[in-house]
Amino acid sequence: MADQDLVDVDPHSPGDASLPVFRWKQAGRTNLATRRQLREMGLRPGGQEPAARIECRGGKRFAWLYRIDLAKPKLPMTLAKEAALDRAMAKRQTCGTCRRRYFHCIPLRTLGSCLECFDGTPADPTSYIAHPAPDHRLAA
């Protein structure tokens, strides 16, 4: 057999010119990473297309893999982004009835309020910040 007859074959390529598919824990950490792994490294995909796909649970779940050498640094949090995030979290953590802001998200979608307002279960005073009373001197 001559050298020109040899062809380099990727064992992970599906053969239909699509992305290579790896099984769980078979991709290696040399040059590919998921979004979560990139985030842990302080990187982001940066607009690149996925380079491969990793599957688990018999192909029922998958994650895209990106090339680490093409990844870009994570963008820093700006004051405007931080303020928008705080407003969004305040809506998820504040009871509409008693106006307390909890340190965890409350079940607004299912209950509509905190447990204390819903069924009387007492809340731990260290788990929330009481809403300040309105100052009537400023209203005049």
Side-chain angles (χ1 to χ4, degrees), residues 11 35 44 46 50 59 61 68 76 79 100 103 110 115 119 125 127 133:
R35 280 182 180 270
R44 61 186 169 96
R61 309 258 339 243
I68 296 173
L79 288 176
R100 292 177 183 161
F103 296 119
T110 55
L115 281 175
D119 64 2
S127 67

Side-chain angles (χ1 to χ4, degrees), residues 53-120:
R53 187 170 130 162
I54 189 164
E55 291 183 346
C56 63
R57 297 190 182 186
K60 294 180 183 174
R61 309 258 339 243
F62 67 90
W64 299 113
L65 294 171
Y66 299 93
R67 290 181 45 187
I68 296 173
D69 58 337
L70 297 178
K72 296 181 179 175
K74 245 188 336 185
L75 298 174
M77 180 74 78
T78 63
L79 288 176
K81 284 183 185 179
E82 193 169 347
L85 180 63
D86 186 50
R87 283 193 306 272
M89 289 306 294
K91 287 189 176 205
R92 297 177 69 195
Q93 296 171 337
T94 304
C95 175
T97 308
C98 64
R99 306 298 302 155
R100 292 177 183 161
R101 181 169 178 181
Y102 288 84
F103 296 119
H104 60 277
C105 293
I106 57 177
L108 293 172
R109 193 175 284 176
T110 55
L111 302 181
S113 63
C114 64
L115 281 175
E116 188 166 353
C117 294
F118 181 72
D119 64 2

